[in-house]
Amino acid sequence: MNGDLLIAVPAAVLGAAGFGLATAAQQRATHEVETAGTLDPRLLTRLLRRPMWLLGLFSTIVALVLQLVALSFGAIAVVQPLLVTGVVFAAAFSSLMSRRRPDPLILLGALLCAVGIAAFLLLARPIPGAQEHIDVWNGLPLAIALAAAVVGCLVYASASRHPSRVLALALATGIMYGVTAGLMKVLTGQLAVGLLEPFHHATLYAVCVLGPIGFLLSQNTFQQGRMVSPAVAVITSADPVVAVLIGVYWLGERLDSSPALLAGQCLAAVVVIAGITFITWRGEHLLHEFDAERLATGRGGHDLAPG
């Protein structure tokens, strides 16, 4: 197991860096094209002409490969929480793209994330379960709840013009990402049986449908003009929470569940979410300051990649 973690943990962190670069690049690019409706595929055709978005797409593909490697060797309850560090990398890449020095307060938020993740993993001590199949019946209540949440979010986002609609899009995105991660974990088990094994199961085809939907929803989310930073925090928080639930209820992974340790795990999760929220709030604040400086010096433009 320790040997497996020596592969899973670095792969997950490198994947988080890839997702962080993709987030920073795609946030910038989505504001350079005409706003599209929710799940409108024309948004992607417009973005394909943007070099910054193509950089984000390439980074996403590399990160997904690294995520698959990490899931092949580690429990989903280990890998997905580590991917939370993507928000830290996004802040760092956003600073580089804006030619700004990393902010000390963002580094403090990153430290909170790291401490919370380390505490959760030490307390939970996830044990991998069966990887080749999903426990359909035991996982049915969770599947219904997640599907209802996604549909509710999409209905609200489509019917409302309130700024909070972006948070609904973000929650739907985070859920889709978490579900896709769970399905990818199953795929890694099937690939261990044989390269053609995934084609004999519905999991591969579900990933091919749900993955692109989640990706398109993320672009819809990034394109919103307001509350983008809180939306990134929602995505980054919802993804690992859903993934851990899927690991437990769908894949049979086990967490240390004594009352004291459960309380500690919940506290660690709160610390991680606080770190994410602090990073995204601080990034939005720095973005406004940077825009004001550009306008004051007559340079114009708009840097749209919140930290």
Side-chain angles (χ1 to χ4, degrees), residues 8-9 11-13 66-84 121 185:
V9 171
V13 174
L66 288 167
Q67 184 184 13
L68 271 174
V69 171
L71 288 170
S72 298
F73 290 91
I76 193 172
V78 171
V79 174
Q80 291 306 114
L82 286 172
L83 290 177
V84 164
L121 295 177
K185 176 64 175 175

Side-chain angles (χ1 to χ4, degrees), residues 75-157:
I76 193 172
V78 171
V79 174
Q80 291 306 114
L82 286 172
L83 290 177
V84 164
T85 57
V87 72
V88 180
F89 289 107
F93 285 122
S94 179
S95 295
L96 289 174
M97 291 175 183
S98 304
R99 296 180 177 84
R100 292 182 279 115
R101 293 180 179 178
D103 181 70
L105 292 180
I106 285 182
L107 296 179
L108 175 61
L111 180 61
L112 280 176
C113 286
V115 169
I117 292 170
F120 175 81
L121 295 177
L122 286 172
L123 294 171
R125 291 177 286 191
I127 300 173
Q131 298 178 13
E132 293 79 14
H133 69 280
I134 293 174
D135 189 341
V136 176
W137 295 112
N138 285 338
L140 190 58
L142 177 61
I144 293 173
L146 293 177
V150 170
V151 171
C153 289
L154 294 181
V155 169
Y156 177 78

Side-chain angles (χ1 to χ4, degrees), residues 134 178-188 203 206-207 210 246 250:
I134 293 174
V179 171
T180 302
L183 296 176
M184 288 171 62
K185 176 64 175 175
V186 176
L187 282 180
T188 62
T203 307
V207 169
L210 298 181
I246 285 174
W250 289 11

Side-chain angles (χ1 to χ4, degrees), residues 18 21-23 25-26 51-61 215:
L21 175 57
T23 297
Q26 289 166 356
M52 186 63 70
W53 189 83
L54 292 174
L55 170 63
L57 178 62
F58 175 76
S59 181
T60 298
I61 293 171
F215 181 73

Side-chain angles (χ1 to χ4, degrees), residues 3 11 34 70 99 130 143 177 184 193 208 220 224 229 236 256 266 276 285 294 299:
E34 181 183 350
R99 296 180 177 84
Y177 280 178
M184 288 171 62
V193 176
C208 291
N220 287 139
Q224 304 304 308
S229 285
T236 311
D256 205 326
C266 291
I276 293 169
H285 177 73
R294 290 184 65 127
R299 286 181 288 172

Side-chain angles (χ1 to χ4, degrees), residues 170-212:
L171 180 57
T173 302
I175 292 172
M176 296 297 285
Y177 280 178
V179 171
T180 302
L183 296 176
M184 288 171 62
K185 176 64 175 175
V186 176
L187 282 180
T188 62
Q190 294 170 355
L191 286 170
V193 176
L195 291 178
L196 298 179
E197 184 67 18
F199 293 95
H200 301 151
H201 303 274
T203 307
L204 174 63
Y205 306 103
V207 169
C208 291
V209 173
L210 298 181

Side-chain angles (χ1 to χ4, degrees), residues 277-301:
T277 304
F278 186 78
I279 289 171
T280 52
W281 169 82
R282 180 61 179 171
E284 189 170 39
H285 177 73
L286 291 175
L287 173 61
H288 293 322
E289 286 186 353
F290 182 70
D291 283 342
E293 289 176 5
R294 290 184 65 127
L295 290 173
T297 55
R299 286 181 288 172

